[in-house]
Amino acid sequence: MHTLKRSALLATLLLAALAARAAEFTVGAELPLTGSLARVGAGMHEGVMVAAEVFNRANGKHKIKIVTVDDESAPAKAIAAVEKLAGMGAVAITGGYGSNNIAPASSTADKLGLVYITSGGVDDSLVAAGRRNFFRINNTAGYEKAALGLFGDMKVKGVSIVYSTKDATSDLARSVGKALAAQGVKVAEHPFDPAITDFKPIVNKIRLQDRPDAVFMVGYENDYVGILRAARVLKPQVKAMVGVWSLATPKMAAEFPDLMPNVYGTALLPYPATFTGADGKAFADTYRQLYKKEPDYLGQFGYVQSMLLFEAIARAADKGTVAKGGIAEELRRTDRDTLIGRVQFAANGDNVHFSHRMGQHQGKNIVIVWPPQHATGKMAYPAVPW
């Protein structure tokens, strides 16, 4: 009897040891695949799937299984998506786009004890709410630095800022406006309700009253399209149309070829992209293999956030701490170079080293034009889509 008990104990210990050595972990991808944010959600999802493929091929020990739930670009659906993924056994969540969606989704994940990592929300309140399991690889400061750097190189004397009244967009617009004003630049602000579709009244004010050198658009894809369409009709005498996230992408160039020429937006990658390091080549080669196209920066963000998460899961698994808060602890220990630069998380989950770049649509390409040390070409200035 004692021998049987001892054998059973040994078998249990052996199984536990084997589980610590090798296991398959389910990771939830909560993303907007339909609705107003579908284009950016799809781009990030591609990066998530590439990261899983690269990790599973290279790790040789632990495996990642991605389960995806569409949050339909809506906060309530984002909460439901996280709850569904938790019920399906997800040990962590990667994804999310739009701070207004990410805030409730990540709060739900935090209550469930799940790590939530994203590159889709830059509202500062996301890292000020005390969520112990929240991490992001980008932030408002990095976007602000890029926009101000570009405007500085343009030597603008006046900027009209058109921005959505959502939290993240308002925060960035006001920060950039304040910094420009402090430099002696004439700033005119034009906030708009996220539900607006006709931007001609705002653009007409810019044309008749502001007369700036540049228009700075802080919104999302549909907002950019509406503003640029109004501008093509009214043709304000400006020298540049500048935006931020989700604008300098090949998807936007393909879908709106008449609106994108010479438009600026944040982009870590030129298009087509080139990579020299092993990690970059693995990302690009796998992306092309899976999707039969060139990678863009949305996929790059999704890849980086997910690869950091998968690596943390693997380290926690090796230590047997996955179910004991180990994934979050391993992310807090992260400090390494990635495809977006060095990533190191502060106690609040923010990446303290993030800095963005500015790209410009030029022909069929996206050229990095700021900062100078990462530029892949010269900016066309003055130049607008009309």
Side-chain angles (χ1 to χ4, degrees), residues 242-255:
V242 181
V244 279
W245 44 72
S246 316
L247 183 55
T249 70
K251 288 185 179 68
M252 292 294 276
E255 293 190 33

Side-chain angles (χ1 to χ4, degrees), residues 113-177:
L114 297 178
V115 161
Y116 188 107
I117 189 167
T118 187
S119 57
V122 300
D123 183 4
D124 289 338
S125 68
L126 291 173
V127 291
R131 301 179 184 93
R132 288 285 296 162
N133 295 306
F134 180 81
F135 299 86
R136 68 178 180 188
I137 61 174
N138 56 346
N139 49 46
T140 297
Y143 287 90
E144 180 181 346
K145 181 178 180 181
L148 291 173
L150 180 70
F151 288 135
D153 283 1
M154 290 176 174
K155 297 180 172 56
V156 295
K157 296 180 180 178
V159 175
S160 292
I161 304 178
V162 185
Y163 66 94
S164 167
T165 52
K166 288 185 176 182
D167 292 340
T169 46
S170 295
D171 287 348
L172 177 58
R174 290 166 184 161
S175 293
V176 170

Side-chain angles (χ1 to χ4, degrees), residues 196-206 226 229-231 233-234:
I196 192 175
T197 57
D198 182 7
F199 288 90
K200 287 194 288 294
I202 290 177
V203 173
N204 205 35
K205 284 183 181 179
I206 293 171
R229 278 179 174 160
V233 172
L234 296 171

Side-chain angles (χ1 to χ4, degrees), residues 4-335:
L4 287 173
K5 287 183 177 179
R6 185 166 61 185
S7 296
L9 178 60
L10 288 172
T12 300
L13 292 173
L14 177 61
L15 287 171
L18 287 171
R21 287 207 301 270
E24 180 180 82
F25 295 96
T26 297
V27 172
E30 169 255 313
L31 283 159
L33 301 179
T34 58
S36 62
L37 298 174
R39 291 186 198 89
V40 288
M44 187 187 292
H45 188 253
E46 290 168 357
V48 172
M49 300 309 291
V50 170
E53 180 75 14
V54 173
F55 177 87
N56 288 340
R57 189 168 59 229
N59 184 264
K61 185 176 181 180
H62 304 295
K63 294 290 183 182
I64 296 295
K65 176 185 175 183
I66 301 295
V67 178
T68 303
V69 176
D70 178 13
D71 66 24
E72 303 177 37
S73 307
K77 295 295 180 68
I79 293 172
V82 170
E83 291 174 339
K84 182 176 182 179
L85 290 166
M88 298 172 73
V91 298
I93 306 293
T94 181
Y97 204 92
S99 297
N100 291 47
N101 297 327
I102 289 171
S106 60
S107 290
T108 301
D110 203 58
K111 291 173 184 175
L112 293 168
L114 297 178
V115 161
Y116 188 107
I117 189 167
T118 187
S119 57
V122 300
D123 183 4
D124 289 338
S125 68
L126 291 173
V127 291
R131 301 179 184 93
R132 288 285 296 162
N133 295 306
F134 180 81
F135 299 86
R136 68 178 180 188
I137 61 174
N138 56 346
N139 49 46
T140 297
Y143 287 90
E144 180 181 346
K145 181 178 180 181
L148 291 173
L150 180 70
F151 288 135
D153 283 1
M154 290 176 174
K155 297 180 172 56
V156 295
K157 296 180 180 178
V159 175
S160 292
I161 304 178
V162 185
Y163 66 94
S164 167
T165 52
K166 288 185 176 182
D167 292 340
T169 46
S170 295
D171 287 348
L172 177 58
R174 290 166 184 161
S175 293
V176 170
K178 183 178 180 180
L180 286 172
Q183 296 169 10
V185 176
K186 180 184 175 183
V187 175
E189 296 187 0
H190 300 277
F192 62 85
D193 186 280
I196 192 175
T197 57
D198 182 7
F199 288 90
K200 287 194 288 294
I202 290 177
V203 173
N204 205 35
K205 284 183 181 179
I206 293 171
R207 181 175 71 94
L208 297 175
Q209 298 176 14
D210 300 353
R211 301 178 181 273
D213 292 323
V215 175
F216 185 40
M217 306 172 288
V218 190
Y220 298 95
E221 289 176 323
N222 292 343
D223 303 323
Y224 300 140
V225 171
I227 295 166
L228 289 166
R229 278 179 174 160
R232 283 197 83 229
V233 172
L234 296 171
K235 296 180 173 55
Q237 296 299 305
V238 300
K239 299 177 181 178
M241 298 294 291
V242 181
V244 279
W245 44 72
S246 316
L247 183 55
T249 70
K251 288 185 179 68
M252 292 294 276
E255 293 190 33
F256 305 102
D258 58 327
L259 301 180
M260 293 301 119
N262 303 312
V263 171
Y264 300 82
T266 50
L268 285 165
L269 282 179
Y271 181 84
T274 55
F275 294 94
T276 55
D279 191 24
K281 287 181 178 179
F283 163 67
D285 291 346
T286 305
Y287 192 102
R288 295 180 186 117
Q289 176 189 343
L290 290 180
Y291 298 105
K292 312 301 186 220
K293 61 182 180 179
E294 291 295 314
D296 62 24
Y297 88 92
L298 292 169
Q300 183 183 18
F301 270 130
Y303 175 86
V304 170
Q305 74 192 39
S306 300
M307 188 61 76
L308 294 174
L309 174 62
F310 302 160
E311 292 169 352
I313 291 171
R315 295 196 300 271
D318 288 340
K319 297 175 182 178
T321 62
V322 169
K324 304 173 184 177
I327 300 173
E329 288 305 316
E330 293 302 325
L331 280 170
R332 291 188 188 96
R333 294 189 179 103
T334 294
D335 183 2

